[in-house]
């Protein structure tokens, strides 16, 4: 339990997380650097199972429009975006030593 801005929350306080940078890789994969300093691997194509809003990301050219906007990732000039917390939770640990 914690209190923030005078409101009591029953959950644990989670520090805010933002996306610092991204790098598109092949086959819908993306390296994502977070404000925590961690770099994680995210499969953009996994979003296709989350509803029709993400359907345009089935096309490689649309995935390549990814950019960091105010700490989160967006595609197609902001038409599609994803919360950094979700991106973090659904991504995988990445070690440069292993994958280079």
């Amino acid at each position: 339990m914690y209190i923030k801005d005078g409101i009591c929350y029953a959950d644990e306080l989670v520090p805010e997380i933002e996306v610092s940078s991204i790098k598109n890789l092949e086959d819908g994969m993306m390296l994502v650097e977070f404000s925590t300093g961690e770099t994680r691997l995210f499969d953009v194509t996994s979003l296709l199972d989350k509803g029709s809003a993400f359907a345009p990301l089935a096309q490689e050219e649309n995935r390549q429009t990814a950019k960091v906007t105010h700490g989160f990732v967006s595609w197609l000039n902001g038409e599609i975006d994803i919360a950094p917390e979700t991106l973090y939770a659904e991504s995988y640990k990445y070690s440069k030593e292993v994958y280079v």
Side-chain angles (χ1 to χ4, degrees), residues 19-58:
V19 174
S20 301
S21 66
I22 57 171
K23 180 179 180 182
N24 284 311
L25 304 173
E26 296 178 8
D27 299 324
M29 301 304 286
M30 175 186 287
L31 282 179
V32 184
E33 184 178 339
F34 291 92
S35 56
T36 60
E38 291 177 82
T39 300
R40 296 177 64 90
L41 189 62
F42 180 70
D43 181 358
V44 177
T45 63
S46 69
L47 296 173
L48 299 176
D49 296 333
K50 296 191 179 294
S52 61
F54 295 104
L57 297 179

Side-chain angles (χ1 to χ4, degrees), residues 30 42 44 47-48 50-59 61-63 65-69 72-83:
M30 175 186 287
F42 180 70
V44 177
L47 296 173
L48 299 176
K50 296 191 179 294
S52 61
F54 295 104
L57 297 179
Q59 304 295 323
E61 61 269 17
N62 291 338
R63 290 195 299 268
T65 68
K67 65 181 180 178
V68 178
T69 306
F72 60 90
V73 176
S74 66
W75 294 267
L76 298 170
N77 292 318
E79 289 182 32
I80 301 171
D81 62 46
I82 185 169

